[in-house]
Amino acid sequence: MNDLIRSLVEAFGPSGFEDAVRDLIRPLVEPHADEVSVDAMGNLIVRKRAAGENPLKVMIAAHMDEIGVMATHVTAEGFLRFTNIGGVGPHTLLGGRVRFADGTLGVIGADRNDDRSAIHPLSKHFIDVGATSRDDCPVRVGDAAHFERPFVAQGHRLTAKSMDDRIGCVVAIEALRRLPATVPHDLYFVFSVQEEVGTRGAEAAANRILPDVGIALDVTLTGDVPEARSMSVRLGDGPAIKVRDSGMIAHTGLVRLMRQRAEEAGITHQMEVLDGGSTDARPMQVAGPGCAAGCISIPCRYVHTPSETVDARDVEGAVQLLVAVLSNPIEL
Amino acid sequence: METFDLLKRLTETPGPSGNEAAVAAVVEELWRPLVDETAIDRVGSLAATKRGAGPEPRPTILLAAHQDELGLMVTRIVDQHGQGFLRLTNLGGVDRRHLLGQTAVVHGREALTGVLGGLPDSLLPEKARGQAYSYDNLVLDVGLPTERLRELVSVGDFVSFRQPLRRLHNGRVTGKALDNRASLAAVTICLERLQGRRHTWDVVAVATVQEETAYIGAYTSGYAHQPDVAVAIDVAHAKGPGANDSELSELGGGPLLGMGAEIHPAVYNALRDAAKALEMSVGVEPNATGRGTDAYALQTARAGIPTGLMLIPLRYMHTMVETADLNDIERAGRLLAELIARLDDTFLPDLREELMRPDKRKDDSQ
Amino acid sequence: MNELLRQLTEATGVSGAEKEVRLLIRDLIADHVDEWSVDTMGNLLATRRGTGESDLRVMVDAHMDEVGLLVVEIEGNGMLKFVTVGGFDDRALLGKVVQVGPQKVTGVIGARAVHLLKSNEYSKVVKRDAMRIDIGAKNKDAAAGKVKVGDYAAFVTPYEESSAPGGRTAIGKAFDNRAGCAALIELLRGERYPFDLVAAFTVQEEVGLRGAEVAAYRVRPDAALVLECTPAFDLPNEKDVSPNVALGQGPSIYVMDARTMQDPRLVAHLTRTADAHAIPYQIRQPGGGGTNTGAIQRAAAGIPVATIAVPGRYAHTPTLMISLDDYDNVVRLADAALRGLTADIVRR
């Protein structure tokens, strides 16, 4: 699975610019789908039809986009000022590297800071692409970049810049491969766009599909590092079944069902209550007449930094849990 | 049923946002004898349909009152020398200043009653001293050893507050979850009054879910039922200690009619005219953003729904001692029934004209 | 004098109370559209049929509402307590003239005279909670005869133009977004497009893009264009920073704001069109803010959208300034871009 993960996490895909990621995923899922389409916003929608009568429509969403930056100004000396695409913390910037869609690499510097323990706001950082003036700068205002960081695997731990949420895409792709030829539900795997800027892609996709059941695949924070936030999720303790986050309270029947399937299949799992953040499950829940929404989370340390870290066993568990949920009856 | 008894049943049933099933069951029991059919949808909203006497196809009015209340949720189970404590987070806009010393129930494998407690200032981290307790410093203590607690309670279990409904003087009552069970009581009274009254429109009364967190039930019910008119029923701040702003209403001065961008003027006018017909004085509550109640979500469902808003004055909102006046609740129920009974064939054509009818200028006639 | 801009900006239409603007626009477009309707929120939707050469259905949005005030209480002394509707800086309110309610009762927002201030109060901002509208009423009853709780108040600013050499400008209120409304009306009055064009004059943009949300759901176009007035912060600044947009530099094209990543295919179409027709344009500095694209893009099953805006200085105050050249170029660019819009640009 690591080769798949590497190819996805190293691809270029800030919110709104997901084309390269979609082009990678499409050929991987086509052999397992009855229908593949791309909608107006760029969501990749992969349908696998049900075998039986009156099937439930189940939407599974993993977002393709990642956080990034966008150039807002080129200085007279050819440096770039920039703004954030999605949740970029200023403490993750200095000394980092970004890459633009055309391959241009930039190094992030910051205005002089006399107080070494203080962090500049994002607006006091700049990108140096090696230009010397506005004229020879290859980047224009409005160009987007992503953070540059190679994938690393050490034992079970996997570290990369956009585990959020390419690892969710990996879980979806793996589940598609492993699902039996016939499934009892109409499955819509949505590789969504623009999650990091407000779960926008999944909203449009859910409005089209109007699912009965919605399952997001996304990363969640952990409470297992020094002086961590008060949270029970730990890396390596299995996929987390989300009960709530700050944008959504999961359907209690779906939560119960996920727990039951995990227990039946002997999948190590944990329960998640997250203060802060949300996922594509939120727009799915309110789409049309409403759907039973929930989320299978992959625990992830250092979310929204260039070194997002997950545990391969949790990823494997998430795939198994998703397959168990989708290939069995869903009674809510 | 006496309004007090009705409210007592409704408020004492636990139903924090996302966990409204117990309330839905009570509401269904109350409404089923009064309507033609009831159904619970995918997100947990209860919809009760009472068909009108007019010829088909009949227009529909939807009444939306949310059934969820504030609550807490277990985030961690913490061990201290073998004793288990629950760390919590909020469900909805809980006022943390009120939590210390309350009892609450955690709904695990079984319902367990516990105390919301914290350490005294002298033992708290310096930054927390003299501050309202944060969730980092509060525990729910059900008095069980960790091992037993872990068998019975899991991360993600919900916690409801406990508070029996009590009578105060002057027909006032106090308890938890009057936001928004007071409105569910008003809708119940409305449905009762419609038993003896002819109405031509279909009525869909909905007890919505997750209003306190995201108006989930209003969005989905508005979409699903596609009513011709919707009215949300909720609570509004009344004057009280620490809240004497001149524009706030008086307890007992309700109900109030919402005004603002989320309100269709023709629905507002219909509510006002119904109040006039009853010789009932009502207040108004202007709202610049439209946010705050199910009306906000109902208005933009599908291609838009003409929406109105009725509000019941309430003191100490989002606490365990919410205080309301029974008269306001009964009047709200009567006003809703009057509104519905007055809806006729002319209402919708007139409503459609309202937005293009030039405002009368006094100087036009001069 | 641009009569469209004058009429439109001098009309009042605070979010939630757009009727006067809606009626005015209906009168201005009725002879130029094939049909029009008003939905339950008050959006005015008008269709100008195409020549039949293209089966696309394209929506162009311009919001009718403006920021303003809402009366929440008439106090015993006849003063009106208010809250703001839409985004405001408290400092923009003091010393302004307003019109209250459908009767357009004139009122002022005053404060204690400077002579009576203590020296430490000179730079203190008066908070809006402490301000009142004074309509000259002696007491509550006298005021209640003229205005009522729930009335909206809008600023009074007559429209003016200046044609000083090198800068055709206009000042007035509510260019955000009557400038967009005026531009859209001009499009409706021009030659037919190859496709059906649905003009959506929408309500409640300033309180959360609410009108456009239901309009887009109803219309379900293949593509949408939003015409706006975007705040320009191109005042003197010694630092080496870009102004987000600058007056006189042409229509501003959005790439990213707090609500939307604009559709890159449409953004490219706009810049290509501008280059081909030698129309100046500027890329609005990516960042905060938001337009109706935020609601339209996600409506129904997703809609490709882009925004063209007239830069306007001093947005969300009673007096804005725009360049009339920018305005004319917004009309030209929107028109040219629509005429060149083909299915292969927006369909996948």
Side-chain angles (χ1 to χ4, degrees):
Chain A
M1 219 183 317
N2 278 5
D3 289 340
L4 173 63
I5 297 173
R6 181 193 306 276
S7 73
L8 285 181
V9 296
E10 293 186 355
F12 179 86
S15 308
F17 305 90
E18 300 89 351
D19 299 17
V21 183
R22 189 171 56 237
D23 291 347
L24 272 176
I25 294 176
R26 188 166 183 154
L28 300 176
V29 294
E30 267 171 342
H32 311 284
D34 293 313
E35 219 176 276
V36 177
S37 62
V38 179
D39 73 7
M41 287 189 72
N43 296 304
L44 176 66
I45 302 176
V46 180
R47 183 159 177 207
K48 187 172 164 69
R49 284 182 203 283
E53 297 277 298
N54 297 326
L56 286 175
K57 279 193 282 186
V58 183
M59 173 169 159
I60 303 100
H63 68 89
M64 298 187 288
D65 63 311
E66 63 186 305
I67 57 169
V69 297
M70 184 180 276
T72 58
H73 172 63
V74 187
T75 70
E77 295 80 25
F79 295 96
L80 303 165
R81 296 289 183 181
F82 60 94
T83 187
N84 57 306
I85 298 176
V88 176
H91 58 288
T92 64
L93 293 175
L94 188 60
R97 298 172 190 184
V98 296
R99 197 178 285 282
F100 289 85
D102 68 352
T104 301
L105 187 88
V107 177
I108 300 178
D111 298 358
R112 197 179 85 180
N113 190 349
D114 293 328
D115 180 357
R116 283 174 166 270
S117 61
I119 297 165
H120 271 324
L122 186 135
S123 59
K124 291 192 170 188
H125 291 77
F126 53 80
I127 297 168
D128 182 350
V129 293
T132 57
S133 74
R134 220 165 263 165
D135 293 334
D136 72 358
C137 181
V139 177
R140 295 190 322 159
V141 167
D143 287 351
H146 71 160
F147 293 96
E148 170 84 4
R149 203 65 70 101
F151 170 75
V152 176
Q154 288 196 97
H156 295 300
R157 308 293 208 214
L158 314 175
T159 298
K161 54 114 172 123
S162 62
M163 286 296 179
D164 176 8
D165 181 33
R166 305 287 159 70
I167 203 66
C169 296
V170 168
V171 170
I173 294 165
E174 266 306 306
L176 263 168
R177 287 174 172 163
R178 292 190 206 175
L179 277 168
T182 56
V183 284
H185 318 292
D186 243 345
L187 304 182
Y188 295 81
F189 281 81
V190 175
F191 297 89
S192 63
V193 298
Q194 299 193 30
E195 192 272 352
E196 295 293 354
V197 289
T199 59
R200 295 175 188 159
E203 182 175 338
N207 284 342
R208 174 191 296 264
I209 295 166
L210 299 178
D212 298 298
V213 178
I215 299 172
L217 306 170
D218 211 331
V219 299
T220 191
L221 309 182
T222 67
D224 61 349
V225 294
E227 298 291 319
R229 64 169 56 215
S230 173
M231 188 172 176
S232 68
V233 173
R234 300 175 61 83
L235 214 61
D237 279 4
I241 297 169
K242 190 187 289 285
V243 182
R244 70 159 279 189
D245 57 34
S246 62
M248 182 210 56
I249 301 167
H251 187 278
T252 48
L254 185 57
V255 170
R256 208 176 305 127
L257 179 103
M258 286 181 182
R259 284 182 85 165
Q260 188 192 332
R261 294 281 176 259
E263 277 158 25
E264 287 163 359
I267 302 163
T268 306
H269 62 284
Q270 47 190 333
M271 305 305 290
E272 171 204 348
V273 176
L274 174 65
D275 275 324
S278 199
T279 73
D280 281 341
R282 173 170 68 164
M284 287 196 271
Q285 186 171 45
V286 291
C291 98
C295 178
I296 298 175
S297 298
I298 300 98
C300 182
R301 289 180 186 160
Y302 326 119
V303 171
H304 287 201
T305 77
S307 298
E308 295 173 332
T309 299
V310 301
D311 188 296
R313 294 167 296 186
D314 298 340
V315 179
E316 174 59 29
V319 176
Q320 289 176 12
L321 177 54
L322 182 61
V323 170
V325 169
L326 297 181
S327 46
N328 287 299
I330 297 178
E331 279 151 15
L332 300 169
Chain B
M1 199 187 292
E2 284 291 309
T3 305
F4 180 82
D5 299 327
L6 179 63
L7 260 184
K8 190 164 177 67
R9 244 192 108 203
L10 287 167
T11 61
E12 293 178 9
T13 305
S17 307
N19 300 276
E20 300 91 346
V23 186
V26 169
V27 176
E28 184 166 30
E29 205 184 308
L30 290 167
W31 288 358
R32 194 182 293 144
L34 306 173
V35 298
D36 296 301
E37 59 190 69
T38 61
I40 292 180
D41 71 12
R42 191 72 83 195
V43 295
S45 298
L46 171 84
T49 306
K50 182 173 185 329
R51 281 188 273 281
E56 292 192 44
R58 283 180 296 271
T60 302
I61 180 169
L62 183 143
L63 308 179
H66 70 86
Q67 51 181 339
D68 59 316
E69 65 185 293
L70 304 168
L72 303 168
M73 184 173 272
V74 176
T75 57
R76 287 170 67 204
I77 299 168
V78 183
D79 173 73
Q80 178 77 6
H81 308 308
Q83 282 295 303
F85 296 89
L86 302 174
R87 290 282 191 210
L88 308 161
T89 187
N90 64 308
L91 278 175
V94 174
D95 187 342
R96 282 186 285 115
R97 302 171 305 165
H98 294 250
L99 293 181
L100 188 71
Q102 302 280 1
T103 55
V105 177
V106 57
H107 299 260
R109 283 186 200 275
E110 48 191 80
L112 303 168
T113 298
V115 180
L116 286 163
L119 291 168
D121 261 354
S122 56
L123 297 173
L124 283 176
E126 201 161 326
K127 261 175 35 191
R129 289 177 199 168
Q131 306 289 317
Y133 281 87
S134 72
Y135 293 110
D136 290 338
N137 296 319
L138 271 175
V139 293
L140 180 66
D141 181 359
V142 298
L144 287 176
T146 311
E147 211 172 308
R148 181 76 184 124
L149 189 62
R150 284 190 196 280
E151 288 167 15
L152 294 174
V153 177
S154 153
V155 168
D157 285 346
F158 77 95
V159 175
S160 62
F161 299 113
R162 282 199 338 168
Q163 188 75 280
L165 189 74
R166 294 178 171 86
R167 286 184 195 273
L168 301 175
H169 288 293
N170 293 323
R172 289 167 180 187
V173 294
T174 185
K176 75 164 176 75
L178 281 161
D179 172 7
N180 189 28
R181 311 284 160 74
S183 299
L184 284 172
V187 173
T188 310
I189 291 165
C190 162
L191 292 173
E192 281 169 358
R193 292 185 77 87
L194 287 177
Q195 300 308 301
R197 230 174 137 180
R198 183 187 145 85
H199 58 97
T200 57
W201 287 35
D202 285 347
V203 180
V204 178
V206 184
T208 58
V209 297
Q210 298 188 41
E211 187 272 350
E212 296 290 358
T213 49
Y215 316 122
I216 302 287
Y219 279 116
T220 53
S221 298
Y223 184 97
H225 298 285
Q226 296 188 66
D228 298 281
V229 170
V231 177
I233 306 101
D234 212 321
V235 292
H237 296 287
K239 283 195 177 82
N244 280 306
D245 296 333
S246 54
E247 71 270 27
L248 292 182
S249 60
E250 297 281 355
L251 219 54
L256 317 174
L257 305 183
M259 308 179 88
E262 84 279 29
I263 305 302
H264 194 293
V267 182
Y268 170 84
N269 290 343
L271 281 163
R272 189 198 53 198
D273 293 347
K276 264 186 204 151
L278 291 172
E279 297 181 2
M280 182 187 289
S281 70
V282 290
V284 292
E285 172 108 340
N287 179 348
T289 65
R291 289 190 177 82
T293 71
D294 277 343
Y296 184 74
L298 288 167
Q299 186 192 29
T300 57
R302 293 204 189 229
I305 298 171
T307 298
L309 173 62
M310 188 185 290
L311 298 155
I312 296 166
L314 187 75
R315 280 185 192 154
Y316 323 121
M317 199 186 291
H318 287 196
T319 73
M320 281 57 80
V321 290
E322 293 180 333
T323 298
D325 189 313
L326 291 175
N327 281 324
D328 288 335
I329 295 167
E330 286 164 5
R331 278 199 294 258
R334 280 169 54 210
L335 181 52
L336 284 171
E338 182 69 23
L339 170 81
I340 291 163
R342 291 164 58 91
L343 292 169
D344 58 18
D345 297 348
T346 65
F347 185 81
L348 286 176
D350 195 55
L351 175 142
R352 283 191 276 270
E353 260 173 49
E354 172 65 32
L355 295 176
M356 294 305 275
R357 194 178 290 141
D359 287 315
K360 283 192 207 103
R361 296 281 300 278
K362 275 188 185 146
D363 48 24
D364 288 348
S365 56
Q366 279 167 2
Chain C
M1 167 120 13
N2 187 320
E3 271 304 307
L4 264 184
L5 283 173
R6 187 192 64 76
Q7 281 179 285
L8 287 165
T9 59
E10 291 185 358
T12 61
V14 178
S15 312
E18 300 89 350
K19 188 188 273 182
E20 185 184 335
V21 180
R22 180 166 54 240
L23 293 175
L24 172 62
I25 293 177
R26 191 268 315 266
D27 293 345
L28 291 169
I29 63 169
D31 294 340
H32 305 275
V33 298
D34 297 289
E35 57 189 63
W36 61 266
S37 65
V38 174
D39 73 11
T40 178
M41 287 185 72
N43 296 309
L44 174 60
L45 304 171
T47 304
R48 181 153 168 83
R49 285 204 206 301
T51 57
E53 292 159 63
S54 164
D55 68 341
L56 285 178
R57 188 172 155 77
V58 179
M59 182 170 114
V60 183
D61 165 281
H63 72 85
M64 299 188 286
D65 60 314
E66 64 188 292
V67 296
L69 311 172
L70 171 64
V71 176
V72 295
E73 175 72 0
I74 304 173
E75 296 189 328
N77 57 4
M79 294 287 174
L80 312 184
K81 188 170 179 182
F82 63 87
V83 295
T84 51
V85 182
F88 263 108
D89 187 324
D90 285 357
R91 291 171 294 187
L93 290 171
L94 220 51
K96 303 305 184 302
V97 181
V98 296
Q99 287 178 331
V100 188
Q103 304 301 329
K104 295 192 180 256
V105 174
T106 300
V108 296
I109 303 171
R112 199 142 55 101
V114 66
H115 322 72
L116 307 177
L117 296 185
K118 297 191 186 87
S119 61
N120 65 358
E121 290 175 326
Y122 289 143
S123 28
K124 220 178 211 168
V125 177
V126 178
K127 298 276 179 227
R128 76 187 75 175
D129 300 354
M131 296 181 205
R132 296 291 183 268
I133 298 171
D134 182 354
I135 58 166
K138 267 185 282 191
N139 54 40
K140 184 167 186 165
D141 286 345
K146 315 241 178 254
V147 298
K148 56 185 194 311
V149 170
D151 276 351
Y152 288 87
F155 297 115
V156 181
T157 312
Y159 176 82
E160 293 174 58
E161 287 184 1
S162 150
S163 51
R168 289 170 62 224
T169 57
I171 60 171
K173 76 165 175 67
F175 283 123
D176 176 6
N177 181 32
R178 305 293 155 66
C181 292
L184 179 49
I185 291 169
E186 293 207 36
L187 298 183
L188 290 174
R189 290 175 170 183
E191 294 287 310
R192 287 185 189 276
Y193 293 95
F195 41 74
D196 288 358
L197 184 141
V198 181
F201 297 94
T202 50
V203 299
Q204 298 190 29
E205 192 270 353
E206 301 289 356
V207 292
L209 324 183
R210 309 253 304 151
E213 185 180 339
V214 303
Y217 181 89
R218 181 185 293 271
V219 176
R220 298 182 185 227
D222 297 299
L225 182 63
V226 171
L227 301 179
E228 257 286 7
C229 177
T230 192
F233 304 119
D234 56 333
L235 272 62
N237 190 329
E238 278 159 28
K239 287 214 171 136
D240 185 0
V241 294
S242 302
N244 60 339
V245 289
L247 237 61
Q249 300 297 305
S252 68
I253 296 171
Y254 277 58
V255 177
M256 174 180 84
D257 60 42
R259 299 269 200 160
T260 333
M261 313 295 305
Q262 308 277 317
D263 193 292
R265 299 165 300 171
L266 282 176
V267 171
H269 174 60
L270 289 175
T271 56
R272 268 197 316 267
T273 304
D275 289 337
H277 290 78
I279 302 168
Y281 70 91
Q282 47 189 330
I283 296 292
R284 176 186 179 272
Q285 196 176 40
T291 74
N292 272 339
T293 49
I296 295 167
Q297 186 172 43
R298 293 184 272 176
I303 296 164
V305 281
T307 307
I308 307 175
V310 182
R313 286 188 192 138
Y314 322 117
H316 291 208
T317 79
T319 318
L320 283 77
M321 178 186 286
I322 63 166
S323 149
L324 290 167
D325 291 332
D326 288 343
Y327 168 79
D328 290 342
N329 282 322
V330 164
V331 177
R332 285 176 62 208
L333 177 56
D335 183 63
L338 287 169
R339 290 191 191 285
L341 187 64
T342 51
D344 59 303
I345 295 175
V346 288
R347 290 200 178 134
R348 282 188 214 269

